[in-house]
Amino acid sequence: MDEALLRSLTPGVLTVLVRRGADFAAAEDAVQDALVEALRTWASDPPRDAKAWLITVAWRKFLDTTRADTARRRREDRVEEEPAPGPAPAVDDTLQLYFLCAHPSLTPASAVALTLRAVGGLTTRQIAGAYLVPEATMAQRISRAKRTVSGVRFDRPGDVATVLRVLYLVFNEGYSGDVDLAAEAIRLTRQLAASIDHPEVAGLLALMLLHHARRAARTAPDGSLVPLAEQDRGRWDTALIAEGIGILQAALARDRLGEFQAQAAIAALHADAPTAGETDWVQIVEWYDELALLTDSPVVRLNRAVAVGEADGPRAGLAALAALDPSLPRHTAVAAYLHERDGDPATAARLYAEAAHAAPNLAERDHLTRQAARLNSRRSQ
């Protein structure tokens, strides 16, 4: 059983059901039931057309559920005839489904959360981490979003900004999390850029390409994280860097700056530097200032504190950090780094150890633990 095939077909099957009048929550349940049936039967009796089989079975399960629910009898009369099995068009409906989930009846935050869960394949815990909220809070938000769109016909797609936010978060989870979704996010953003002439779409695509270009150098052979300053820049993908910078320059020339263009500009400055020591940190701080005006994000201000520490010295970075909430994710790790650069290894080691306990994933936890051990080892010599 090819589970990757099932995963790739799921968005298209879900799109067909909602087009045919199924409300989103019921359609999602029906598709999940069809996937379970496929896992049970395909090993011994694989279908000739996998997508058509899933559409047929999911639609049948949706109809069965609808007929059994007396509260939905009125809508049952409006559903279409069961589609006959047969070849289905080999089209990719994923991007369209992103737009459908960004429904005008939902707030942007709820639309993003629902799409990440239903289409992006992220867990509630991963989505909560991206939003910096407790998992229980995010679970309630997703449940409310499902109730809001229950019974709503998905014939009014949402706006581009919401879809961009979803793609950005999917890429971030794929780039640094446990599920590899980065390539899929880039593929969908390329499709969007080809169909919509929008500088922020171009900015997001450039940002993804510039980050993805460094991916091979981000981990050592043993899987441990390699900080940006220590990465082997010869392993960076220069073709992706050139493409990303070209796309970014064309977007910036339109003089409609947005947050993704600003982030891409920061990534481009890192990519342009032949060595870590030649990084133009002064310009990076300036771009973070622009980004803070656009987003007022605490994460942006945290990253800006690191840049200030590089441009103006660790004391200046610590001063910028002091203005931020200490409970902010990775705040302690940044403080540890700046204290180490300021010549205070004892404080840095303690903070690295504290940061390791709060790390969002195993790779980051191991990296921070090694940093603390490295400094403690030097102090004991």
Side-chain angles (χ1 to χ4, degrees):
M1 169 57 58
D2 189 345
E3 294 188 20
L5 171 63
L6 288 178
R7 196 180 308 116
S8 69
L9 293 175
T10 298
V13 176
L14 187 55
T15 299
V16 171
L17 266 63
V18 296
R19 282 177 178 172
R20 294 182 179 278
D23 68 81
F24 188 88
E28 186 181 21
D29 290 341
V31 172
Q32 292 302 317
D33 288 342
L35 293 176
V36 171
E37 185 72 11
L39 289 170
R40 188 179 69 83
T41 63
W42 281 14
S44 59
D45 185 21
R48 288 191 299 176
D49 189 323
K51 184 175 181 180
W53 189 97
L54 286 171
I55 290 171
T56 299
V57 173
W59 185 253
R60 285 175 179 163
K61 290 184 178 295
F62 165 72
L63 290 178
D64 289 344
T65 301
T66 301
R67 294 187 181 107
D69 188 348
T70 57
R72 298 179 182 178
R73 289 183 183 276
R74 293 182 61 190
R75 193 186 59 203
E76 179 186 351
D77 297 333
R78 298 197 296 270
V79 299
E80 298 178 10
E81 293 290 330
E82 175 184 329
V91 297
D92 183 356
D93 298 311
T94 308
L95 188 57
Q96 182 180 10
L97 192 56
Y98 273 61
F99 273 95
L100 291 174
C101 288
H103 198 272
S105 63
L106 295 172
T107 65
S110 294
V112 170
L114 178 62
T115 313
L116 289 172
R117 183 71 185 92
V119 189
L122 274 64
T123 66
T124 303
R125 176 174 296 180
Q126 289 169 323
I127 301 168
Y131 271 93
L132 309 181
V133 299
E135 184 176 356
T137 301
M138 183 52 64
Q140 292 175 355
R141 183 179 299 178
I142 293 172
S143 295
R144 285 196 300 268
K146 287 185 176 181
R147 288 196 298 270
T148 298
V149 300
S150 180
V152 171
R153 189 172 183 85
F154 281 70
D155 54 359
R156 292 185 299 152
D159 64 4
V160 174
T162 301
V163 174
L164 288 179
R165 178 63 50 191
V166 175
L167 289 169
Y168 174 67
L169 292 175
V170 169
F171 176 82
N172 278 349
E173 189 59 44
Y175 188 67
S176 60
D178 301 324
V179 181
D180 187 0
L181 298 168
E184 172 69 358
I186 291 173
R187 183 182 70 83
L188 293 173
T189 307
R190 284 191 187 277
Q191 286 187 9
L192 188 59
S195 61
I196 298 178
D197 183 19
H198 192 297
E200 272 294 84
V201 175
L204 179 58
L205 178 56
L207 175 63
M208 289 180 175
L209 294 176
L210 289 165
H211 277 304
H212 207 61
R214 304 199 304 259
R215 189 169 189 179
R218 291 184 70 247
T219 55
D222 62 359
S224 60
L225 289 179
V226 180
L228 177 61
E230 300 172 19
Q231 289 176 15
D232 178 1
R233 299 185 178 220
R235 299 184 66 197
W236 289 2
D237 189 327
T238 55
L240 282 184
I241 291 173
E243 182 185 5
I245 290 176
I247 292 170
L248 172 64
Q249 289 174 339
L252 291 175
R254 301 177 65 174
D255 199 22
R256 290 169 54 193
L257 183 64
E259 62 173 295
F260 295 123
Q261 295 169 72
Q263 288 191 58
I266 293 168
L269 286 168
H270 283 298
D272 256 351
T275 66
E278 296 174 86
T279 304
D280 191 342
W281 287 106
V282 173
Q283 265 205 78
I284 288 176
V285 171
E286 292 173 356
W287 275 111
Y288 271 123
D289 288 339
E290 293 281 356
L291 191 54
L293 291 174
L294 290 166
T295 66
D296 195 29
S297 164
V299 175
V300 169
R301 297 188 184 280
L302 182 68
N303 292 332
R304 179 186 178 277
V306 177
V308 169
E310 299 289 351
D312 301 327
R315 295 284 175 91
L318 287 167
L321 189 66
L324 303 177
D325 185 350
S327 66
L328 190 65
R330 296 188 173 89
H331 183 285
T332 307
V334 170
Y337 173 75
L338 291 172
H339 276 289
E340 180 182 359
R341 290 201 60 233
D342 194 38
D344 186 356
T347 300
R350 175 178 57 80
L351 292 173
Y352 276 130
E354 289 180 14
H357 287 293
N361 56 62
L362 181 60
E364 190 167 337
R365 184 178 70 194
D366 288 348
H367 170 71
L368 293 168
T369 300
R370 282 193 296 271
Q371 295 295 88
R374 172 179 58 82
L375 292 180
N376 286 326
S377 175
R378 287 182 182 175
R379 291 170 57 212
S380 64
Q381 291 176 356

